[in-house]
Amino acid sequence: DFVTFQQRHDRVAPGDAYGLEFPFSLAMLQEHGAGFLTRAFHASGVMSADNRVTEILSMTPIEEKGASENALMTITYARDEPGIETELFVKMPPANVERKFGLAGMSHGEVEIARLSQKGTVPVETARYYFADYCTHTANYILITGKVAFGVDPIEPAYHKGYDFMVPDADEHYR
């Protein structure tokens, strides 16, 4: 219920999947920095145990209106490693409490689908998974994937959410 949610939503707590406490805003992620990202990427298995994230070089919020707080993040690693990228996408709960409460269930599902994509059990190609977790107690979440190069062949440009009527030949496009 909303009263319980209000009492819990602003707490840092362990995620359901990995048991790590995680930041749930872009500002908090900047504060937790490379140390958190290193622990997260080790927990999810996307980075070797002998490697680490050394720095968050940039965090650029995405201004396009959406359901959550999103950013493009550039990081560095102690050493290059095949398959890990430096350009990442980050998604976290919206700052508005009422909106955050309304989206809590949907966010949990999105985090779980992202985690499943790492295991190859999602039947479509997705952005590379780095880390995602959800806390049932607080309804907070974090999702980190590789950055999708929209508009760079063969990837189409990004279409605005909710504007499918502007997609050329939308029925055929989605079919």
Side-chain angles (χ1 to χ4, degrees), residues 114-174:
R115 287 183 355 86
L116 287 172
S117 75
Q118 179 190 29
K119 299 175 184 175
T121 56
V122 176
V124 294
E125 190 172 342
T126 63
R128 178 171 165 117
Y129 172 85
Y130 281 79
F131 182 81
D133 214 340
Y134 181 89
C135 176
T136 302
H137 186 75
T138 64
N140 287 318
Y141 67 91
I142 183 171
L143 171 63
I144 304 173
T145 68
K147 175 184 168 186
V148 175
F150 288 108
V152 177
D153 194 39
I155 300 170
E156 296 180 49
Y159 295 110
H160 294 289
K161 268 186 168 181
Y163 286 80
D164 289 346
F165 63 89
M166 297 180 81
V167 175
D169 196 13
D171 289 344
E172 187 57 33
H173 171 83
Y174 289 117

Side-chain angles (χ1 to χ4, degrees), residues 40-57:
F41 295 173
H42 286 161
S44 69
V46 299
M47 184 174 67
S48 298
D50 64 345
N51 201 359
R52 63 186 171 82
V53 176
T54 55
E55 186 177 3
I56 297 176
L57 294 176

Side-chain angles (χ1 to χ4, degrees), residues 1-11 97-98 100-101 137-139:
D1 65 81
F2 189 61
V3 172
T4 304
F5 173 81
Q6 286 180 300
Q7 295 168 354
R8 297 178 178 178
H9 82 94
D10 59 352
R11 296 182 189 164
V97 177
E98 290 82 13
K100 183 177 178 179
F101 177 72
H137 186 75
T138 64

Side-chain angles (χ1 to χ4, degrees), residues 31-103:
E31 290 171 21
H32 285 75
F36 166 74
L37 292 172
T38 297
R39 289 187 301 280
F41 295 173
H42 286 161
S44 69
V46 299
M47 184 174 67
S48 298
D50 64 345
N51 201 359
R52 63 186 171 82
V53 176
T54 55
E55 186 177 3
I56 297 176
L57 294 176
S58 67
M59 179 90 64
T60 308
I62 297 173
E63 299 303 325
E64 183 72 28
K65 296 292 182 203
S68 300
E69 190 175 354
N70 304 308
L72 298 176
M73 176 174 65
T74 303
I75 63 174
T76 58
Y77 299 94
R79 65 175 175 78
D80 290 336
E81 189 172 321
I84 60 172
E85 303 160 87
T86 59
E87 301 287 325
L88 304 175
F89 170 77
V90 179
K91 184 172 187 173
M92 296 178 161
N96 178 282
V97 177
E98 290 82 13
R99 188 173 183 90
K100 183 177 178 179
F101 177 72
L103 296 170

